[in-house]
Amino acid sequence: GVYCSDAAGRIVFMNAPAARLLGYDAAKLSGADAHSTFHHHTADGAPYAACDCPIHQTLTDGRSRRVDSETFFRKDGTSIPVEYSAAPLYGASGEVAGCVVCFHDITDRRRTEEERRALLAREREAGRYYRALFESAPGCFLVLTPGDFRIAAVSDAYLAATGTTRERLQDRVLFDAFLDNPSEADADGARNLRASLERVMACGRVEAMGVQRYPIPRPESQGGGFEERYWSPVNSPVFGPDGTLA
């Protein structure tokens, strides 16, 4: 909708869409103060002083303004969330003689935004729930990013089995976190595991490896070095909603 006011903020013109949105007869609004007629309170019901209104400020300083979210009120007292632009109109001597205001009802947009925020909140809550479920699962699990095999998530059981912490593993490349023992020239644990993960990525199928000797670093607090370990890894692809490896 569009309306024009004089320098005092009195309505001199209002088009039919604007009048329809506000529930008024446009002809009967001629000469009415726009701010006190439909812009008199904020969305939370607090009085809205004209001096704080961007439209009034445009009438005062002659600067155009655009407002993304304010509230107009219909004749029946119900509110409408609106976005609007206010541009000055100048008289023959260059003075501000009024302004033209173009506004849009953003009820649908705001409802969509609120639904989107609610959906994101539900997704965040679900994410926290499923992460807690995964971390507490009674099994040694790692989630790796495809390609670089960076650790995205790790179960508590895996941390206990490897004697490490989530902070030390999170976002590290698996083969940087668990190196082969450099004193063993023929160590092949990392090489065998990497080859299996690459096959899983290429083929998109689960691969169960045979028993693998893969010693793990022992914390310095426990004397350092490497601790003898044997594992039976099962490497499984995880696909996203679009069917690609996630």
Side-chain angles (χ1 to χ4, degrees):
V2 177
Y3 76 87
C4 299
S5 71
D6 62 16
R10 295 183 294 260
I11 298 168
V12 295
F13 167 78
M14 178 176 285
N15 70 0
R20 187 165 53 252
L21 280 171
L22 296 171
Y24 285 96
D25 181 337
K28 294 181 179 178
L29 280 181
S30 182
D33 179 78
H35 186 82
S36 61
T37 301
F38 51 79
H39 202 194
H40 40 75
H41 284 77
T42 59
D44 61 4
Y48 194 2
C51 60
D52 295 327
C53 170
I55 299 170
H56 178 81
Q57 292 166 2
T58 291
L59 289 170
T60 301
D61 61 19
R63 293 172 53 194
S64 294
R65 288 175 170 81
R66 182 178 182 84
V67 178
D68 292 330
S69 182
E70 276 204 357
T71 303
F72 285 176
F73 288 84
R74 298 185 181 91
K75 183 179 181 180
D76 63 8
T78 57
S79 62
I80 318 170
V82 296
E83 66 176 11
Y84 64 81
S85 60
L89 297 171
Y90 295 99
S93 302
E95 78 282 5
V96 176
C99 74
V100 57
V101 178
C102 179
F103 67 94
H104 301 276
D105 180 353
I106 59 170
T107 300
D108 290 342
R109 189 183 77 188
R110 182 170 289 181
R111 182 183 301 113
T112 299
E113 290 171 349
E114 290 172 353
E115 290 172 351
R116 180 175 176 273
R117 284 194 293 270
L119 177 61
L120 289 174
R122 289 196 297 272
E123 288 178 346
R124 284 193 295 270
E125 184 62 28
R128 286 192 291 268
Y129 171 80
Y130 284 113
R131 189 175 190 92
L133 184 66
F134 167 82
E135 290 176 351
S136 62
C140 297
F141 297 109
L142 278 179
V143 176
L144 305 175
T145 58
D148 60 359
F149 305 126
R150 194 171 294 274
I151 298 170
V154 55
S155 69
D156 295 337
Y158 187 95
L159 296 175
T162 56
T164 188
T165 64
R166 188 165 284 108
E167 290 71 26
R168 288 176 58 190
L169 294 185
Q170 193 76 34
D171 205 38
R172 290 189 67 188
V173 174
L174 174 63
F175 301 106
D176 291 341
F178 297 104
L179 300 168
D180 275 329
N181 189 340
S183 67
E184 298 182 0
D186 60 348
D188 60 2
R191 181 172 67 253
N192 292 341
L193 180 56
R194 183 186 291 274
S196 174
L197 291 172
E198 289 175 346
R199 286 192 296 272
V200 169
M201 282 184 57
C203 301
R205 293 195 296 269
V206 176
E207 180 171 305
M209 302 177 66
V211 175
Q212 302 289 311
R213 178 180 178 272
Y214 197 149
I216 61 172
R218 185 184 295 113
E220 292 297 329
S221 61
Q222 298 178 21
F226 282 77
E227 183 173 315
E228 193 79 356
R229 289 294 181 87
Y230 291 85
W231 310 86
S232 297
V234 177
N235 302 317
S236 176
V238 176
F239 298 101
D242 60 356
T244 60
L245 196 66

